C-alpha cells in the first residue's frame, strides 16, 4: 500500500507570495492533519480535516488555510508569505477519527523556503 | 505551555545495549501516546503507541512504558542498532483535541558500533 505523498518536495518562494501544498493520504484513510516543523518550535499542529470539514485548528494566523476534497486529498495554502514561514510542512493521515487507535502516518514533507 | 517534554536533547548508546528515551507530560486529559522516529529530510515514522488504560506495550525490540501517576512514559529499544540512530519524538493526544498530536521537542539517539 502506498504511503502518504506530498508535493512538491521542495519550494522556494519570495516574501508576500502565496503557496499551495498538496497531500494524498494512504488509500482508505479519511483523516488528514497538517504540521509545521521548525528548528525553534518543533512539530506544531496546523489543522485536521475529515470528510471535507476542518475538525480542529492549531494556533496559526489566518494566512494558513486548508481544505480536503471528496477523495480525501488535502491542500494547504499560505498567503502573504513571511520569512518565518520557512519550515518543513508535514501531512499525516489516519483511518477515521474516534477509533481506538490513533496512529497517524506522515508523508515526507514539503520543505518551504521563503526569501 | 509545553505539554509534552523530552528533557534529554541527545543520548548516546553502544550497539547492543539498551536505549531508554524519556518523555513527561502535564495534561491529564491525554489518553493516547505515540513514539515516532525521524531521519533528516524525511517525515516521522510511527514506531509504537500506548493507550492510557495500559502501562506497557511491546513490539519487537521496542517497548513503551506508561506511568500515569507520574505522567511519564519511556521508550526502550533492546538491543540498540546503528540504524536506530535518529531523532525520536514522543507525542500525545487528547480526545477533546480530535486527532491533534502534541509533540515533544525530540531526542537525538546515536548508537555507536
Amino acid at each position: 500500500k502506498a504511503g502518504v505523498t506530498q508535493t512538491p518536495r521542495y519550494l522556494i518562494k519570495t516574501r508576500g507570495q502565496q503557496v499551495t501544498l498538496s497531500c494524498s493520504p494512504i488509500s482508505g484513510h479519511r483523516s488528514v492533519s497538517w504540521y509545521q516543523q521548525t528548528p525553534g518550535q518543533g512539530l506544531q499542529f496546523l489543522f485536521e480535516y475529515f470528510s471535507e470539514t476542518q475538525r480542529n485548528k492549531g494556533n496559526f494566523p489566518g494566512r494558513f488555510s486548508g481544505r480536503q476534497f471528496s477523495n480525501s486529498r488535502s491542500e494547504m495554502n499560505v498567503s502573504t508569505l513571511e520569512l518565518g514561514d520557512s519550515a518543513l510542512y508535514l501531512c499525516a493521515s489516519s483511518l477515521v477519527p474516534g477509533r481506538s487507535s490513533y496512529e497517524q502516518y506522515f508523508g515526507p514533507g514539503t520543505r518551504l523556503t521563503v526569501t | 505551555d509545553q505539554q509534552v517534554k523530552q528533557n534529554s536533547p541527545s543520548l548516546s548508546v553502544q550497539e547492543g545495549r539498551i536505549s531508554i528515551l524519556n518523555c513527561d507530560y502535564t495534561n491529564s486529559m491525554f489518553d493516547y501516546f505515540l513514539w515516532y522516529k525521524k531521519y533528516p529530510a524525511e517525515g516521522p515514522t510511527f514506531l509504537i503507541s500506548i493507550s492510557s488504560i495500559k502501562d506497557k506495550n511491546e513490539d519487537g525490540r521496542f517497548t513503551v512504558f506508561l506511568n500515569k501517576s507520574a505522567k511519564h512514559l519511556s521508550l526502550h529499544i533492546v538491543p540498540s542498532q546503528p540504524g536506530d540512530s535518529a531523532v525520536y519524538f514522543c507525542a500525545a493526544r487528547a480526545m477533546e483535541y480530535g486527532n491533534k498530536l502534541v509533540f515533544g521537542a525530540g531526542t537525538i539517539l546515536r548508537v555507536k558500533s
Side-chain angles (χ1 to χ4, degrees), chain B residues 51-96:
Chain B
S51 164
S52 60
I53 63 173
K54 296 184 176 181
D55 55 19
K56 177 183 174 181
N57 188 26
E58 193 171 354
D59 185 1
R61 296 187 298 116
F62 302 92
T63 303
V64 55
F65 296 91
L66 175 62
N67 183 333
K68 282 186 66 177
S69 60
K71 294 190 174 66
H72 176 84
L73 66 155
S74 60
L75 174 68
H76 292 210
I77 306 174
V78 183
S80 300
Q81 300 173 353
D84 295 330
S85 298
V87 181
Y88 288 78
F89 290 96
C90 166
R93 104 179 254 286
M95 186 176 292
E96 62 179 334

Side-chain angles (χ1 to χ4, degrees), chain A residues 7-13 18-21 81 87 110-114:
Chain A
T7 57
R9 292 292 311 276
Y10 303 92
L11 206 49
I12 300 175
K13 289 286 188 178
Q18 75 164 13
V19 67
T20 299
L21 312 180
L81 283 165
T110 294
R111 171 69 64 184
L112 172 65
T113 302
V114 182

Side-chain angles (χ1 to χ4, degrees), chain B residues 12-72:
Chain B
S12 187
V13 171
Q14 198 67 33
E15 181 180 6
R17 306 295 291 269
I18 183 171
S19 295
I20 300 176
L21 298 112
N22 294 302
C23 179
D24 297 294
Y25 62 96
T26 57
N27 189 341
S28 58
M29 299 300 292
F30 287 143
D31 61 357
Y32 207 80
F33 303 89
L34 307 90
W35 283 94
Y36 286 87
K37 169 179 163 181
K38 187 179 186 300
Y39 295 115
E42 293 184 13
T45 301
F46 170 73
L47 279 176
I48 192 169
S49 61
I50 188 167
S51 164
S52 60
I53 63 173
K54 296 184 176 181
D55 55 19
K56 177 183 174 181
N57 188 26
E58 193 171 354
D59 185 1
R61 296 187 298 116
F62 302 92
T63 303
V64 55
F65 296 91
L66 175 62
N67 183 333
K68 282 186 66 177
S69 60
K71 294 190 174 66
H72 176 84

Side-chain angles (χ1 to χ4, degrees), chain A residues 27-77:
Chain A
S27 177
H29 284 198
R30 295 168 59 193
S31 172
V32 173
S33 299
W34 288 89
Y35 293 82
Q36 180 197 64
Q37 186 184 22
T38 58
Q41 298 296 318
L43 276 149
Q44 300 285 317
F45 173 79
L46 279 157
F47 24 65
E48 175 202 353
Y49 287 88
F50 173 70
S51 290
E52 303 175 63
T53 302
Q54 187 181 90
R55 296 182 71 239
N56 207 344
K57 191 177 192 306
N59 295 325
F60 281 82
R63 300 185 296 106
F64 292 81
S65 63
R67 58 178 176 169
Q68 186 181 35
F69 302 94
S70 59
N71 61 358
S72 296
R73 191 177 68 86
S74 177
E75 289 181 346
M76 69 163 280
N77 184 278

Side-chain angles (χ1 to χ4, degrees), chain B residues 88-108:
Chain B
Y88 288 78
F89 290 96
C90 166
R93 104 179 254 286
M95 186 176 292
E96 62 179 334
Y97 300 148
N99 260 0
K100 170 185 174 181
L101 293 179
V102 180
F103 282 85
T107 297
I108 300 171

